[in-house]
Amino acid sequence: MQVTAAITLLVVTATSAVAAASNITYTVVSLQPSNQTIGVIVDNQVYPLSSVSDNWQLLHSGEAPVATSGYKYAVLDKLNTATIVEQESFTRKPVTDDSTLNEYYGRSWNTMNLTQLPTIMDPLPIIDRIKSNLHIDGEIPTIHITGSQSSIDNMHSNNYADLDVSDLNMTYISPHDIKTFENITLAVAGFSSRSLPKLSYKLKIPKGGDGLYGYRRFKLRSMGFDLSYMREELAYAIAESIGLPSARYSYVRLFMNNQPLGLFGFSDNFKNPWPRNTFAGGKKKNFDQGALYTASPNSGVNASELPKDLANITLDQIARASRLGPQDNIDPSKSDLRYLGNNLTEYSMQYSVREDPSSGTANYTRIMDLCKFISEQSNTTSDDSAISLWGERIDVPSFLRGMAFEIVTSQSDAYLANGNNYILYDDLENERIVYSNQDFDISMGTAILNPELIHGGNYTKFPGFLERPLTSRLLAVPQFKKEIGELVYNFTRDLVNPGILFPRIDALYTFIEQDVAWDKTLPRVGNSSLLDAAGANFTFDEVPLWFGINGTVPDPAVANFSMSLKNWVELRSTNLLNFFNGTASN
Ligand SMILES: *[C@@H]1O[C@H](CO)[C@@H](O)[C@H](O)[C@H]1NC(C)=O
Ligand SMILES: *[C@@H]1O[C@H](CO)[C@@H](O)[C@H](O)[C@H]1NC(C)=O
Ligand SMILES: *[C@@H]1O[C@H](CO)[C@@H](O)[C@H](O)[C@H]1NC(C)=O
Ligand SMILES: *[C@@H]1O[C@H](CO)[C@@H](O)[C@H](O)[C@H]1NC(C)=O
Ligand SMILES: *[C@@H]1O[C@H](CO)[C@@H](O)[C@H](O)[C@H]1NC(C)=O
Ligand SMILES: *[C@@H]1O[C@H](CO)[C@@H](O)[C@H](O)[C@H]1NC(C)=O
Ligand SMILES: *[C@@H]1O[C@H](CO)[C@@H](O)[C@H](O)[C@H]1NC(C)=O
Ligand SMILES: *[C@@H]1O[C@H](CO)[C@@H](O)[C@H](O)[C@H]1NC(C)=O
Ligand SMILES: *[C@@H]1O[C@H](CO)[C@@H](O)[C@H](O)[C@H]1NC(C)=O
Ligand SMILES: *[C@@H]1O[C@H](CO)[C@@H](O)[C@H](O)[C@H]1NC(C)=O
Ligand SMILES: *[C@@H]1O[C@H](CO)[C@@H](O)[C@H](O)[C@H]1NC(C)=O
Ligand SMILES: *[C@@H]1O[C@H](CO)[C@@H](O)[C@H](O)[C@H]1NC(C)=O
């Protein structure tokens, strides 16, 4: 022991005399097979990065001199580290700090400054969100989940079952931070997306500690429906820009043991501590947290029923089976705030409790009372005297903004079109219900419903708008009717148009382009029954990203279902503005 220590000391002294503090630490993320490792080439000299943590198998780090002209990372043969297997195709600028950021092999940037969307409305007064580094715009962190491979395989082969896999570890590596968590829980998430090649997941970090920047529950969204990889990113940014209390969203790269799963959307899930993070600045003390519900029209419907009769099914039928709604009509979903009588069990079948209140348990009386109140309002004529009555029951601006949001972003699977994907929060302080939206994969040009209606300029024809219990009553109040129209117009004029969205789309394109290309090369763990059934004769992975942004979908079976993102933005804003300018034909 003593001898070893003495030698180490000697070496340190000797080298520091020679290379006087000119070494820095290089750190880079890369998944390598066991026969290969990573090195850094500094001014044409190769230095293997010898430290690879057992827990953080993806993270390679080591010392090497500061570069004078530049450096790049290389894959080395582990047995003979002088042999370069491959190297980065670009040179990185010298770093003079003590260490590099946590870089990513093959990506020339660590962080990017992206054009942001403007904030066009103040956040609703109820919002008091914690400051958190969870979603840093312009960074793509890496999440590595490690643990029993057979449990992970089992979860993947039972993708229709709600199998929670616990006792997994997780490492989160962003350019500036590394965090590890033990015993996280992972499960496949979603409904119809379970029939896609790339699966979505939900993830939970156990209680205790600060979680990941104050959050513990997350969604890993596969974007498996989305040729643009941006629809949810933009929709969440729009929801934030108009001041709705929605989740927030960013991108991550995901690995499980030795398997890369690809690029995912990463969002905070509506479970504790989400309500206090969103409505109470993260404080638990003195916050009387109300119950949090989501509409759940699919409860009682087993997603595994979906693929059984898929052999000859059409997209329209899938839409029905997955409660996405028949083409021309609104879906019979009962999770649309209709009054279901005074039996609370009926409500528990249409809404699910995401979180109980801080005292007692969520018992659906608030939902029932709300539905009853709505049903008692006139759906033909009312007057502005009803305004204060509504204000006592609901956070009116949250509902009005939410409805306009659904229309302007062409949501096929939200309250109006489908009685789905919205949250109701019981604001105990004001004793009224707050509304917001979630899960935007079927929106912004990806549609199940009749494209003419869902993208059309006459927004009063938007599926469900005149018929749903809530909107049919709100529209009977002249002031509300006027305000919804104004919101639809304002959101279009100030946000959802080429002038505002294209610069963000172009920035995102540069930002995710390389990761999407990587994502598309990866073996998938799910099945393709949904797309096969739709008659698509290509897989989404064969279609390049630019096509999802700018292209024209060639296959008519898919064209109705998904148009390119920029085509949609142009169509949506042109149609709506023409309608408002009185130049629309419909
Ligand atoms: C600098 O790094 C190189 C390569 O890892 C190593 O051989 C050398 O001893 C280091 N010098 C110092 C001063 O630590
Ligand atoms: C490492 O093994 C893989 C196959 O698993 C092989 O393709 C690769 O060439 C090997 N690398 C080296 C440096 O031998
Ligand atoms: C981003 O912008 C900020 C402020 O303008 C600047 O300080 C920073 O260096 C920029 N970062 C990158 C990666 O361009
Ligand atoms: C998780 O990490 C802990 C601490 O490093 C380790 O003891 C444990 O074996 C790991 N569990 C798994 C499933 O890898
Ligand atoms: C891991 O988490 C699961 C579920 O969250 C729990 O049942 C189990 O006791 C935990 N195990 C350990 C070792 O903490
Ligand atoms: C699909 O169509 C074929 C031939 O048209 C028919 O034999 C088969 O029963 C159908 N399958 C289903 C599940 O409807
Ligand atoms: C309440 O509704 C549930 C579900 O439909 C039903 O099973 C139960 O019998 C109902 N209770 C009463 C008192 O009607
Ligand atoms: C439901 O909970 C509320 C408090 O949130 C309570 O006033 C009410 O009595 C409860 N109703 C039932 C049926 O348990
Ligand atoms: C309006 O209310 C009447 C009576 O409650 C009902 O018959 C009718 O279907 C409702 N219309 C709409 C569009 O909801
Ligand atoms: C729409 O924008 C105008 C400003 O152009 C503003 O005066 C009006 O209050 C906005 N309408 C709503 C409902 O926010
Ligand atoms: C897919 O089908 C469309 C017509 O539905 C056809 O135009 C196209 O060439 C087909 N593509 C492939 C790769 O077979
Ligand atoms: C918009 O649609 C509504 C409902 O179908 C209809 O009454 C109205 O005339 C339409 N407006 C225009 C300008 O076509």
Side-chain angles (χ1 to χ4, degrees):
M1 272 314 264
Q2 269 182 343
V3 175
T4 316
I7 290 171
T8 309
L9 191 66
L10 191 71
V11 170
V12 169
T13 315
T15 49
S16 58
V18 179
S22 58
N23 269 4
I24 66 161
T25 305
Y26 290 84
T27 302
V28 64
V29 174
S30 181
L31 177 67
Q32 290 299 324
S34 57
N35 59 348
Q36 296 179 169
T37 187
I38 295 286
V40 61
I41 304 176
V42 180
D43 302 329
N44 297 318
Q45 178 86 33
V46 181
Y47 301 88
L49 301 180
S50 49
S51 159
V52 185
S53 161
D54 286 347
N55 259 341
W56 316 336
Q57 298 151 36
L58 262 60
L59 196 69
H60 307 258
S61 81
E63 302 256 298
V66 172
T68 44
S69 64
Y71 70 95
K72 58 172 69 171
Y73 295 104
V75 176
L76 310 178
D77 181 344
K78 205 173 200 168
L79 289 179
N80 175 11
T81 52
T83 307
I84 296 173
V85 178
E86 62 159 73
Q87 55 184 282
E88 289 179 330
S89 59
F90 51 89
T91 303
R92 296 171 186 263
K93 292 209 179 69
V95 170
T96 50
D97 297 340
D98 290 348
S99 58
T100 63
L101 300 182
N102 304 315
E103 311 199 85
Y104 192 88
Y105 184 86
R107 300 290 179 275
S108 55
W109 50 273
N110 294 307
T111 67
M112 262 189 207
N113 281 340
L114 309 178
T115 310
Q116 309 264 333
L117 296 187
T119 297
I120 67 164
M121 295 188 88
D122 287 337
L124 293 173
I126 189 173
I127 298 177
D128 178 9
R129 214 190 286 269
I130 56 165
K131 285 205 169 36
S132 167
N133 282 333
L134 186 62
H135 304 288
I136 298 182
D137 198 47
E139 293 188 358
I140 305 183
T142 299
I143 287 179
H144 190 200
I145 290 166
T146 54
S148 161
Q149 185 61 42
S150 58
S151 303
I152 292 172
D153 290 343
N154 190 42
M155 171 187 77
H156 282 147
S157 50
N158 291 287
N159 53 322
Y160 295 106
D162 261 324
L163 272 186
D164 280 355
V165 183
S166 60
D167 206 18
L168 299 169
N169 287 348
M170 168 177 143
T171 309
Y172 170 96
I173 308 167
S174 70
H176 296 93
D177 223 347
I178 299 172
K179 292 180 178 291
T180 60
F181 302 93
E182 287 178 36
N183 198 22
I184 63 139
T185 303
L186 182 72
V188 173
F191 192 73
S192 38
S193 59
R194 288 173 193 258
S195 297
L196 290 173
K198 191 175 165 201
L199 297 171
S200 291
Y201 305 91
K202 53 195 169 187
L203 190 154
K204 181 175 82 184
I205 294 173
K207 277 189 184 170
D210 193 29
L212 184 60
Y213 306 113
Y215 290 86
R216 293 200 299 113
R217 324 281 195 115
F218 309 93
K219 296 180 184 179
L220 288 159
R221 307 275 294 165
S222 75
M223 305 178 281
F225 269 135
D226 184 6
L227 286 171
S228 79
Y229 286 68
M230 286 179 203
R231 287 187 165 87
E232 290 212 307
E233 205 283 342
L234 291 169
Y236 277 105
I238 290 167
E240 193 172 357
S241 169
I242 61 171
L244 283 176
S246 243
R248 300 190 64 220
Y249 187 95
S250 51
Y251 293 101
V252 294
R253 305 178 184 103
L254 179 65
F255 294 79
M256 293 182 194
N257 290 328
N258 293 322
Q259 179 166 21
L261 278 294
L263 182 69
F264 283 73
F266 188 52
S267 78
D268 30 305
N269 202 354
F270 299 105
K271 301 276 284 177
N272 279 340
W274 190 85
R276 65 173 179 271
N277 284 351
T278 308
F279 302 122
K283 289 184 294 290
K284 202 169 183 177
K285 256 191 193 165
N286 300 327
F287 173 50
D288 197 6
Q289 180 172 314
L292 181 69
Y293 302 89
T294 51
S296 62
N298 295 321
S299 68
V301 181
N302 185 344
S304 66
E305 286 166 12
L306 207 49
K308 261 190 224 150
D309 42 22
L310 276 183
N312 309 317
I313 206 167
T314 64
L315 249 191
D316 180 34
Q317 288 169 297
I318 294 171
R320 289 165 201 267
S322 63
R323 297 288 195 272
L324 287 171
Q327 292 268 338
D328 280 327
N329 244 315
I330 57 165
D331 184 81
S333 163
K334 285 190 195 166
S335 313
D336 65 355
L337 302 176
R338 71 185 57 191
Y339 184 53
L340 300 165
N342 63 2
N343 180 349
L344 289 174
T345 311
E346 294 290 342
Y347 297 87
S348 72
M349 292 158 69
Q350 303 301 330
Y351 305 88
S352 59
V353 174
R354 283 310 173 99
E355 283 301 339
D356 279 321
S358 37
S359 54
T361 53
N363 66 18
Y364 292 95
T365 49
R366 301 278 294 166
I367 305 282
M368 184 181 75
D369 289 349
L370 174 67
C371 295
K372 187 159 188 287
F373 168 78
I374 291 171
S375 74
E376 286 164 351
Q377 306 310 302
S378 165
N379 64 7
T380 48
T381 48
S382 193
D383 58 47
D384 288 345
S385 66
I387 293 173
S388 61
L389 212 56
W390 280 93
E392 285 164 19
R393 301 303 180 115
I394 66 171
D395 182 330
V396 172
S398 74
F399 281 82
L400 300 184
R401 292 183 199 188
M403 295 305 116
F405 167 83
E406 292 184 15
I407 290 169
V408 174
T409 56
S410 296
Q411 299 289 333
S412 264
D413 196 15
Y415 173 80
L416 289 173
N418 203 29
N420 197 12
N421 285 322
Y422 64 92
I423 65 172
L424 298 170
Y425 174 68
D426 188 2
D427 170 8
L428 293 179
E429 196 179 328
N430 297 298
E431 294 185 337
R432 61 189 185 189
I433 302 286
V434 180
Y435 180 91
S436 195
N437 293 92
Q438 64 160 349
D439 290 359
F440 307 125
D441 48 340
I442 319 288
S443 76
M444 301 184 77
T446 298
I448 295 293
L449 294 159
N450 182 333
E452 260 173 56
L453 300 180
I454 204 106
H455 308 314
N458 187 344
Y459 69 91
T460 68
K461 289 184 178 168
F462 193 89
F465 188 62
L466 299 175
E467 298 88 357
R468 292 288 182 197
L470 175 78
T471 37
S472 61
R473 280 20 176 236
L474 284 176
L475 289 167
V477 182
Q479 172 66 21
F480 294 157
K481 184 178 179 179
K482 177 170 161 277
E483 241 177 274
I484 293 180
E486 264 187 51
L487 290 170
V488 170
Y489 177 72
N490 286 4
F491 293 176
T492 312
R493 181 195 59 188
D494 299 339
L495 207 51
V496 183
N497 62 64
I500 302 290
L501 288 190
F502 282 12
R504 173 76 183 169
I505 291 172
D506 293 340
L508 286 172
Y509 186 89
T510 311
F511 178 57
I512 64 173
E513 182 185 11
Q514 289 171 298
D515 282 282
V516 170
W518 165 70
D519 181 89
K520 287 176 179 293
T521 65
L522 300 173
R524 301 301 185 196
V525 294
N527 66 57
S528 63
S529 48
L530 192 56
L531 295 169
D532 294 350
N537 57 1
F538 58 89
T539 71
F540 274 27
D541 287 340
E542 287 161 3
V543 183
L545 177 61
W546 68 263
F547 196 89
I549 309 298
N550 259 324
T552 305
V553 180
D555 187 336
V558 179
N560 269 349
F561 171 64
S562 189
M563 62 198 299
S564 76
L565 184 58
K566 281 191 172 177
N567 283 355
W568 174 81
V569 174
E570 269 168 350
L571 180 73
R572 190 79 195 111
S573 61
T574 305
N575 282 351
L576 283 169
L577 294 177
N578 283 348
F579 177 73
F580 283 107
N581 294 336
T583 52
S585 53
N586 60 339

